[in-house]
Amino acid sequence: MTTLQRVEKFLEKIKKEDKEINAFLQIRDEKELIEGARAIDAKIGEGKAGKLAGKVIAVKANINVHGMNASCASKVLENYTAPYDAAVVSKIKEEDGLIIGITNMDEFACGFSGETSAFGPTKNPLNKKLITGGSSSGSAAAVAAGFCDMALGSDTGGSIRNPASICGVVGLKPSYGSVSRYGLIDLSMSLDQIGPIAGNVEDAALLLDVIRGRDTRDSISIDSEKLNLKKIKEKPKGIRIGVLNLDGLNVDENVKNLINERVNEISKKNGWDVKNVQIKNLDLAVETYYPLVYVEFFSGTRRFDGRRYGKKIEDFAGPEVLRRILGGSEITKAEHKGRYYDSALKVKNFFAEEFKKIFKEVDCVVCPTLPRLPWKIGEKISVEDGYAMDVLTIPPNLAGNCAVSVPAGAISLDALPSAHPPAQKDNGVPVGLQIICDKFQEEKLLRIAKGFE
Ligand code: GLN
């Protein structure tokens, strides 16, 4: 199929199905898309096309795409049109990827279910009663629904891996510093990374390969090793898998069993070694993460004051965003003398050290991506239970490691809490397996992920 035919197919599907799913906040002008697709097809014909030629890509609404609305799914930035391309977007365009539209998300990336968007929740394409997970809800849903080939998400504490897990797709958070954050509207600048969401490991690798690398406009970005995309297709030998000890954490038994079965099955098949590993004080991950996020988010949002950018955030944001602004302003008060933030930084370093020790013994750490099954859209979830959703995805952000969620199977919907039986009983709920590797070991991570796929 030509790029043009593929775009037309995607557009038709979006028009038919996205009114209900709500994965996209904005679709690119159709004429522009068709012209873009034609130009790429011409380049392919001449043998001059880039690495992403033919791929149709969606972008999360907190990443600047020139001329498109970077609203962060908030009323605050509802009318904000991006005046430039984020570094990742320029790279995609240079390699002839075609950007089809801007995806829905939790407001300002504050969330875990896709329900805090000011423009309505995204519905899970696999079961429309269920949440998609978040905050990159629209990006994961767009890939799962077949609205595009791949998408960009952002991940501060799990926002790529969480919805990838619930929507049954692949989502990768790069090591902190692998990908430029220039043009990302940040949630928490010391944790955020942009990364790929795709239908399979090879597509995720391809997109990561294009967006990674040093960018002078993001001082923490580095030129890590290039990915060898051919090598990713080969099954890696002699891998030492570390199965994370989940004692003391509230993890659903069905999820735990499915992941254990899968790890044993795949390791046996590939001849990999399996041992148990432990990260001390894992239960502190969520408590460590939130003070950091509250403070950094609060400070980052001071520019949304109704004069410089958008509308005044205090007047237009939803409850989860306001909670964080309020929390952040309290924690930063002089009388606390940086107590909470400083302690959180210490524990953050502690987690980095813990992982460093573990990676001397094993090549990767595996665990469920999420501790529990998704809930029904609109179901009342306490703040604590919602925050706990990311207990297993947060640690790699704190340590700066790379991590990916790959589909590991599905659990029958009968296992969901019976008080809220979803109406659509079809293929069950997907469960993601999380693989974590040391900093800048994306190639190894992807090869192991490919082994699990
Ligand atoms: N759920 C986490 C939060 O609400 C993670 C968000 C993210 O990764 N952007 O902060």
Side-chain angles (χ1 to χ4, degrees):
M1 253 204 251
T2 62
T3 312
L4 181 61
Q5 286 165 335
R6 308 192 65 240
V7 168
E8 281 171 342
K9 192 192 80 183
F10 285 136
L11 282 174
E12 200 186 304
K13 204 164 161 57
I14 292 168
K15 274 183 204 156
K16 223 191 288 162
E17 297 170 27
D18 199 39
K19 261 199 199 82
E20 192 183 358
I21 293 175
N22 203 19
F24 281 99
L25 294 176
Q26 189 184 15
I27 294 291
R28 223 168 117 195
D29 175 61
E30 220 169 297
K31 234 177 82 198
E32 220 180 276
L33 265 175
I34 288 172
E35 273 165 25
R38 283 211 176 102
I40 291 166
D41 283 331
K43 272 185 159 180
I44 295 175
E46 293 163 21
K48 284 186 193 152
K51 289 187 204 164
L52 287 174
K55 298 288 185 194
V56 177
I57 301 164
V59 177
K60 186 174 179 178
N62 59 351
I63 299 172
N64 279 273
V65 179
H66 185 217
M68 305 280 292
N69 182 208
S71 69
C72 293
S74 177
K75 294 273 176 206
V76 176
L77 290 174
E78 194 173 14
N79 303 317
Y80 174 68
T81 301
Y84 67 100
D85 279 332
V88 289
V89 171
S90 307
K91 288 182 171 195
I92 287 173
K93 289 181 177 173
E94 275 160 29
E95 292 295 341
D96 294 319
L98 191 65
I99 290 170
I100 188 164
I102 302 297
T103 55
N104 203 356
M105 57 186 278
D106 280 303
E107 185 175 19
F108 282 105
C110 298
F112 30 76
S113 68
E115 296 174 289
T116 71
S117 164
F119 307 112
T122 306
K123 292 185 180 160
N124 193 318
L126 307 176
N127 185 322
K128 303 199 182 76
K129 297 270 179 223
L130 293 183
I131 56 163
T132 51
S135 67
S136 309
S137 49
S139 291
V143 172
F147 294 160
C148 56
D149 293 303
M150 28 175 98
L152 288 180
S154 68
D155 191 310
T156 312
S159 281
I160 288 176
R161 292 157 286 157
N162 169 330
S165 172
I166 301 179
C167 293
V169 295
V170 176
L172 186 147
K173 181 204 90 75
S175 313
Y176 186 67
S178 272
V179 175
S180 169
R181 293 166 302 127
Y182 176 76
L184 169 72
I185 300 169
D186 42 35
L187 168 57
S188 180
M189 59 182 221
S190 71
L191 300 165
D192 298 335
Q193 274 288 289
I194 298 172
I197 297 179
N200 56 64
V201 171
E202 278 178 42
D203 271 356
L206 176 64
L207 186 53
L208 177 65
D209 186 45
V210 168
I211 60 173
R212 55 164 286 288
R214 167 91 181 135
D215 172 26
T216 48
R217 296 162 300 181
D218 176 1
S219 59
I220 57 98
S221 67
I222 71 152
D223 236 336
S224 53
E225 206 187 341
K226 271 210 175 75
L227 298 177
N228 181 340
L229 293 178
K230 271 204 204 101
K231 223 166 150 193
I232 284 157
K233 293 183 194 163
E234 293 162 20
K235 249 185 216 137
K237 290 200 184 83
I239 293 294
R240 297 159 305 164
I241 304 272
V243 177
L244 186 62
N245 184 335
L246 302 173
D247 289 353
L249 296 181
N250 195 0
V251 181
D252 183 300
E253 285 301 319
N254 293 302
V255 172
K256 230 193 262 183
N257 293 340
L258 187 142
I259 294 297
N260 283 340
E261 272 169 32
R262 192 90 185 119
V263 170
N264 291 334
E265 174 202 328
I266 299 290
S267 303
K268 212 160 141 199
K269 204 173 105 195
N270 293 334
W272 294 345
D273 280 346
V274 180
K275 68 184 269 185
N276 292 322
V277 293
Q278 192 175 2
I279 294 178
K280 273 184 242 137
N281 300 21
L282 203 53
D283 55 326
L284 293 183
V286 174
E287 288 165 53
T288 308
Y289 168 85
Y290 276 97
L292 296 173
V293 170
Y294 276 29
V295 168
E296 292 181 17
F297 181 59
F298 169 66
S299 110
T301 54
R302 295 310 80 207
R303 62 186 188 269
F304 306 124
D305 57 3
R307 281 177 289 127
R308 277 173 290 179
Y309 293 98
K311 300 176 191 147
K312 189 164 182 219
I313 195 161
E314 283 78 1
D315 295 341
F316 286 89
E320 183 55 38
V321 166
L322 293 179
R323 178 181 357 265
R324 294 180 190 211
I325 293 176
L326 223 64
S329 81
E330 180 61 32
I331 293 173
T332 42
K333 275 191 183 142
E335 70 225 48
H336 298 313
K337 293 202 188 77
R339 197 163 68 212
Y340 299 105
Y341 191 77
D342 289 354
S343 317
L345 280 182
K346 275 188 203 138
V347 189
K348 184 181 184 223
N349 289 336
F350 168 82
F351 279 119
E353 291 301 319
E354 281 288 289
F355 272 107
K356 221 192 256 167
K357 268 189 252 159
I358 288 179
F359 289 130
K360 286 197 181 120
E361 290 172 36
V362 295
D363 292 293
C364 67
V365 173
V366 298
C367 60
T369 305
L370 298 173
R372 57 170 289 187
L373 294 169
W375 52 87
K376 220 172 137 187
I377 293 173
E379 200 178 319
K380 281 258 167 305
I381 296 287
S382 70
V383 176
E384 291 77 13
D385 284 351
Y387 284 7
M389 194 68 169
D390 287 325
V391 62
L392 298 169
T393 48
I394 284 172
N397 294 77
L398 293 175
N401 300 324
C402 53
V404 65
S405 178
V406 289
I411 288 180
S412 157
L413 293 173
D414 297 332
L416 286 173
S418 56
H420 300 284
Q424 230 177 287
K425 292 219 166 201
D426 44 14
N427 301 322
V429 187
V431 170
L433 168 96
Q434 179 173 226
I435 310 165
I436 307 165
C437 279
D438 204 357
K439 275 182 208 142
F440 308 117
Q441 301 253 301
E442 274 81 355
E443 187 173 293
K444 189 200 264 182
L445 178 73
L446 284 156
R447 291 183 70 198
I448 299 171
K450 181 75 185 161
F452 272 106
E453 197 171 41

